[in-house]
Amino acid sequence: MSDWLGPRDGTDGPHGSEEDGLFDTTRPESPPGSAGVTGGLAPTRPDAPLAVRMRPGTLDEVLGQGHLLEPGAPLRRLVEGSGAASVMLYGPPGTGKTTLASLISRATGRRFEALSALSAGVKDVRAVIDLARRRLTAGEQTVLFIDEVHRFSKTQQDALLAAVENRIVLLVAATTENPSFSVVSPLLSRSLVLQLRSLTDDDIRTLLDRAVTDPRGLGGAVTLTEEAMGHLVRLAGGDARRALTALEAAAGTVLDRDGGAVPHRDGGTVVDLAAVESSVDRAAVRYDRDGDQHYDVTSAFIKSLRGSDVDAALHYLARMIVAGEDPRFIARRLMIHASEDVGMADPSALQTATAAAQVVQLVGMPEAQLALAQATIHIATAPKSGAVTAALGAAMADIRAGKAGTVPAHLRDGHYAGAQKLGNAIGYRYPHDTTDGVLAQQYPPDELVGVDYYEPTTHGGERELATRVGKLRRIVRG
């Protein structure tokens, strides 16, 4: 992966690592690659990363997952110690999967064992299960947390089946990929699949405010300007770990700067936009996902695609990505315009756009930005046609004008008793009985016989379609 893409979210680099201080208290009895702790993750060191120090210690501190933590919901029951089902926590990086696993363990008093699929093998999995089995004979239960479970091979996942089914361990598995595609069916069927959501901008603001004032965090040593706060929220992209890592870097910059600290009237040191930019090496982009810039940039992106200016389209795509626009929104626009502005002039454009949307869903950012760029280039450089849009618009206009006559009797459903007595399906001619697979037969209601909706252009693939559609109409209409 090229350096310009930056590190993978939630794995390493500036965004933080799942192993930076999270599982740093390995006990002698725990197998290699695991962390054995009673009642959740071990107490964090004072010098641990800010994202680790600010990990929620109670359910009330968990942000953004209200849909899973309502009274009586399976996840709340687990966290409160009254549930016993294994779970798959599926969601983007930085949404609290590790935290929830810890809270589940802490609430029930169970031992907490953690494995990372990046480093653990079948031997490690079996060692943890053997340890959990010995504990169970002494009346002590174990929560087994597996991070990045989608990276486990089929053999590794199969090694968990008996232990999960017999509740030797309570499995809490985390994955950023859709478990329907990445987890074996037997393990999936034995677990509740709970989808976590990216944190909203308001959630990230709450988190940053808490980190600035909380003694576990910065303890009021700094104060954020509104511009700095807004930029950190944009940089986060719904990822709590990324937001806290960026805040820690910016706070460190101003606190370490000799003579550069600007006292704030309320105490503490000001972290402004310049400090955030210099710390995370990313310029602020004038772009508000809920304001004029959102609509202006989106409009320019769409019109650049339609106008076949590939370079301008890539520029606006980059502005949206850098500003933290939801990649699902970008993917939806690309799919729409693959039909609206390209259509049958290049039908493969829709396939490319749809594939890009799947990459966004299954892989996530930052890698998915390459698929979005590929779809942007395909649509911008493809031959253009608005014929699909015009055809559907004309057909819908006729419907709204009341031109929706009775379906011809020979086309009506004849698969029920009494249909033939009503005259349904009598006289229907089966096209595949002819050599060419096309024959003369009335298909539209009487009021619309002879009406042309689809008018192919001479652009790209529609050049050949124009000839073919003409021939088909002459045959079908006799």
Side-chain angles (χ1 to χ4, degrees), residues 89-437:
L89 300 177
Y90 160 45
T95 51
K97 297 183 289 293
T98 306
T99 293
L100 288 169
S102 173
L103 291 176
I104 290 169
S105 177
R106 187 179 305 166
T108 58
R110 293 176 170 131
R111 295 297 294 266
F112 186 86
E113 295 289 341
L115 292 175
S116 172
L118 293 171
S119 56
V122 174
K123 181 179 178 181
D124 299 316
V125 173
R126 289 176 177 161
V128 170
I129 292 172
D130 288 342
L131 178 59
R133 188 178 286 109
R134 292 197 300 271
R135 288 174 178 162
L136 196 58
T137 60
E140 191 175 29
Q141 294 184 306
T142 301
V143 170
L144 173 56
F145 174 68
I146 298 181
D147 193 26
E148 306 259 13
V149 69
H150 58 274
R151 297 182 183 274
F152 261 179
S153 67
K154 182 179 183 297
T155 302
Q156 289 169 303
Q157 293 184 32
D158 287 342
L160 294 165
L161 291 177
V164 172
E165 185 167 20
N166 296 321
R167 292 187 178 171
I168 295 171
V169 297
L170 179 68
L171 176 67
V172 180
T175 175
T176 55
E177 297 189 6
N178 190 330
S180 298
F181 301 106
S182 56
V183 177
V184 295
S185 297
L187 187 57
L188 201 60
S189 66
R190 290 164 171 78
S191 309
L192 290 174
V193 178
L194 304 176
Q195 185 168 6
L196 278 68
R197 296 172 181 167
S198 294
L199 274 62
T200 66
D201 288 354
D202 287 342
D203 292 331
I204 296 294
R205 284 178 177 273
T206 300
L207 177 67
L208 292 171
D209 283 335
R210 182 187 299 167
V212 166
T213 59
D214 196 299
R216 292 174 299 170
L218 301 175
V222 301
T223 302
L224 285 175
T225 67
E226 183 56 36
E227 293 79 8
M229 172 70 81
H231 192 38
L232 287 169
V233 170
R234 288 193 295 272
L235 288 174
D239 184 328
R241 188 183 302 110
R242 188 188 303 175
L244 292 172
T245 302
L247 171 61
E248 185 173 30
T253 296
V254 297
L255 291 173
D256 293 342
R257 186 185 302 152
D258 291 336
V262 180
H264 192 267
R265 65 178 182 274
D266 297 325
T269 299
V270 173
V271 175
D272 58 13
L273 178 59
V276 175
E277 288 179 348
S278 63
S279 301
V280 299
D281 194 27
R282 186 178 296 185
V285 178
R286 292 186 60 81
Y287 187 94
D288 179 358
R289 280 186 280 179
D290 298 316
D292 293 342
Q293 282 292 318
H294 166 82
Y295 297 106
D296 288 347
V297 173
T298 302
S299 176
F301 178 59
I302 291 167
K303 290 169 182 173
S304 298
L305 289 171
R306 183 180 296 134
S308 300
D309 191 330
V310 63
D311 303 297
L314 284 169
H315 165 78
Y316 293 116
L317 172 67
R319 283 177 66 167
M320 288 189 284
I321 291 174
V322 171
E325 179 60 82
D326 186 342
R328 296 170 298 179
F329 168 79
I330 301 172
R332 287 194 293 267
R333 299 313 310 175
L334 288 168
M335 287 189 287
I336 291 168
H337 288 279
S339 292
E340 182 177 350
D341 294 321
V342 178
M344 296 304 294
D346 181 0
S348 66
L350 180 57
Q351 297 172 3
T352 301
T354 303
Q358 288 182 307
V359 173
V360 168
Q361 174 70 15
L362 299 177
V363 178
M365 299 293 271
E367 289 89 341
Q369 63 195 22
L370 293 176
L372 294 174
Q374 182 177 345
T376 295
I377 292 170
H378 190 149
I379 293 170
T381 58
K384 301 299 188 295
S385 171
V388 170
T389 304
L392 180 60
M396 293 177 70
D398 275 355
I399 298 299
R400 294 188 181 106
K403 298 178 181 179
T406 303
V407 174
H410 60 282
L411 299 184
R412 297 175 197 165
D413 182 19
H415 295 88
Y416 61 91
Q420 288 193 344
K421 291 182 180 179
L422 298 174
N424 291 2
I426 296 176
Y428 171 67
R429 301 177 63 196
Y430 192 54
H432 294 301
D433 288 339
T434 66
T435 303
D436 296 329

Side-chain angles (χ1 to χ4, degrees), residues 344-347 383 457-466:
M344 296 304 294
D346 181 0
T457 68
T458 58
H459 307 157
E462 281 193 321
R463 184 182 299 109
E464 181 180 344
L465 267 181

Side-chain angles (χ1 to χ4, degrees), residues 5-53:
L5 276 175
R8 296 173 61 90
D9 285 1
T11 54
D12 51 29
H15 293 166
S17 167
E18 285 287 35
E19 297 184 3
D20 287 344
L22 300 190
F23 313 126
D24 53 4
T25 56
T26 304
R27 296 165 61 93
E29 66 173 346
S30 299
S34 75
V37 183
T38 302
L41 296 173
T44 56
R45 308 185 315 268
D47 61 341
L50 181 62
V52 176
R53 303 200 308 271

